[in-house]
Amino acid sequence: MLAGVVVFCGLTPLVSPHDPYLPDPALALLPPGGRHWLGTDQLGRDLLTRTAAAGAVSLLIALAVTALTTASGTVAGAVAGLAGGVPERLLRHASAVALALPGLTFALALAGVLPPGPGAVVAALVPFGWVNCGLVAHTATRRVATSDFVLAARAIGASPSYLLRRVIGPHVAGPVLTVATADFGRTLIAVTSLSFLGIGLPPPATDWGGMVSEAVPLLVAAPRLAIVPAVALAVTGVAVALVADARRLRPG
């Protein structure tokens, strides 16, 4: 399912004869047909092609946010887990504060004062998105840090950097990747939520949340304009959740 979504979003705008951003008022709100399989929107743009292009933007932004939060959380958690003491206390306090504050509300406030664009969405979601990976990396590091092979590496003079990269890292990567997969699904929902609320990409570029927002005034006249991107988002969310569950339940 997830591979199908990625192929659909990545290839459709490249092979489609329709421009997902170029309006054509003469073709506005055409019903589904042979030339436009899902019809056109209120500006005459092909709905299928625009859904694919918007999906590519949503996936890329969510992937960028997840990559940054996973990297920062993993580094912070692993360092705190290996060092203990003050770094560990700082991690716990920072994660407690991040979990206590309403992350989406902060993201709305921050994105509202930044120039519109994908950078604003990324900057708004990263500050609170690292917590899950950070706590998992910390727990996994603490568990592995007392293992015999880590103690042996310490005994022969291995540096903390070497321990994190070569000795502890491979054992932490699995749990962190599982959490990051689930975080990707939640981040995708957050990205589309910000766009639906009007904080996201400037027109004519859009993502799934922006498409649903644009379709709200036409829910009665043309409900498919909101249903199509909403279904695409739901299918992607289910696919990501299934991948995360498969990783979580995989033996070993």
Side-chain angles (χ1 to χ4, degrees):
M1 289 173 63
L2 188 57
V5 170
V6 172
V7 171
F8 167 72
C9 294
L11 293 184
T12 301
L14 299 178
V15 301
S16 173
H18 309 290
D19 190 321
Y21 303 114
L22 183 64
D24 189 350
L27 303 177
L29 296 178
L30 288 180
R35 180 171 173 78
H36 300 280
W37 291 359
L38 296 179
T40 59
D41 65 3
Q42 64 272 32
L43 296 180
R45 298 167 295 197
D46 182 71
L47 185 57
L48 178 66
T49 306
R50 188 160 174 81
T51 301
V57 173
S58 296
L59 293 175
L60 286 175
I61 295 177
L63 183 62
V65 173
T66 305
L68 290 173
T69 55
T70 300
S72 58
T74 301
V75 171
V79 170
L82 183 62
V86 174
E88 190 171 48
R89 289 195 294 272
L90 288 176
L91 176 72
R92 290 176 177 173
H93 293 321
S95 59
V97 171
L99 291 173
L101 294 177
L104 190 57
T105 302
F106 174 83
L108 284 169
L110 183 58
V113 301
L114 294 175
V121 179
V122 173
L125 295 177
V126 168
F128 291 94
W130 60 270
V131 178
N132 291 331
C133 285
L135 294 177
V136 169
H138 170 261
T139 301
T141 302
R142 292 295 296 171
R143 183 177 62 249
V144 176
T146 57
S147 300
D148 292 340
F149 58 88
V150 176
L151 296 177
R154 285 179 180 269
I156 62 175
S159 65
S161 175
Y162 179 87
L163 288 174
L164 290 174
R165 288 185 294 106
R166 303 295 298 274
V167 182
I168 297 176
H171 297 273
V172 176
V176 166
L177 185 57
T178 301
V179 174
T181 305
D183 281 350
F184 175 78
R186 288 188 287 268
T187 301
L188 182 62
I189 299 297
V191 169
T192 54
S193 298
L194 290 176
S195 296
F196 177 77
L197 296 173
I199 300 173
L201 302 176
T206 189
D207 60 6
W208 285 331
M211 289 187 67
V212 175
S213 179
E214 293 172 357
V216 168
L218 298 169
L219 282 178
V220 176
R224 58 186 169 82
L225 299 184
I227 292 174
V228 170
V231 169
L233 175 61
V235 170
T236 307
V238 171
V240 173
L242 291 174
V243 173
D245 284 344
R247 287 199 54 85
R248 180 174 57 83
L249 297 175
R250 186 180 62 182

